Amino acid sequence: FIELERKRHPKIVFTPDEVAQIEESYRTFARIKEDGSSPGLLTNQIFEMWSTLPVGGDMENESEQQEMIQRIKDADADRNGTICLDELFQLLSTYRIEVFQDQRRAELKWVRCSGYTRR
């Protein structure tokens, strides 16, 4: 869920169940080696994994897919071409914030169109 901090900046908080689900999905798709290491996730693995995540959504068109590819590039902090677990949480946080902001904009637009205003 999303908490609003002062100045209305969203702060992402994952529930314990969401954290467990994200970690499990990561372990499944990142192909963890016997020694516990992982090469990380490639972009195509993230796309495969996306629908299993609690914050995942459908990326039905090419535009949404291109936006996700850019988010993945932005989340790859060490620029090694893969996404580690920490980077995955950053990616999901960023995605949640964007979805939240899109929803807020849509709600505000609806309120303005409805003719309701505060007095």
Side-chain angles (χ1 to χ4, degrees), residues 89-105:
F89 275 103
Q90 182 60 46
L91 172 67
L92 296 174
S93 295
T94 301
Y95 179 77
R96 260 197 182 171
I97 288 170
E98 290 173 5
V99 168
F100 173 77
Q101 289 171 338
D102 289 347
Q103 289 171 340
R104 294 278 297 172
R105 280 190 287 274

Side-chain angles (χ1 to χ4, degrees), residues 14 17 42 89 95-96 99 111-112:
F14 294 101
D17 287 343
L42 298 171
F89 275 103
Y95 179 77
R96 260 197 182 171
V99 168
V111 168
R112 286 185 194 112

Side-chain angles (χ1 to χ4, degrees), residues 42-102:
L42 298 171
T43 299
N44 65 327
Q45 291 170 309
I46 294 171
F47 274 87
E48 289 173 24
M49 180 179 74
W50 196 252
S51 65
T52 69
L53 298 173
V55 298
D58 293 330
M59 291 176 276
E60 298 174 356
N61 60 52
E62 186 177 340
S63 173
E64 291 171 343
Q65 293 167 3
Q66 291 301 319
E67 287 175 13
M68 180 55 68
I69 289 169
Q70 187 58 52
R71 284 186 198 102
I72 293 167
K73 288 179 182 178
D74 293 343
D76 185 12
D78 57 10
R79 302 289 182 240
N80 69 352
T82 62
I83 299 295
C84 68
L85 185 58
D86 289 341
E87 292 168 335
L88 178 61
F89 275 103
Q90 182 60 46
L91 172 67
L92 296 174
S93 295
T94 301
Y95 179 77
R96 260 197 182 171
I97 288 170
E98 290 173 5
V99 168
F100 173 77
Q101 289 171 338
D102 289 347

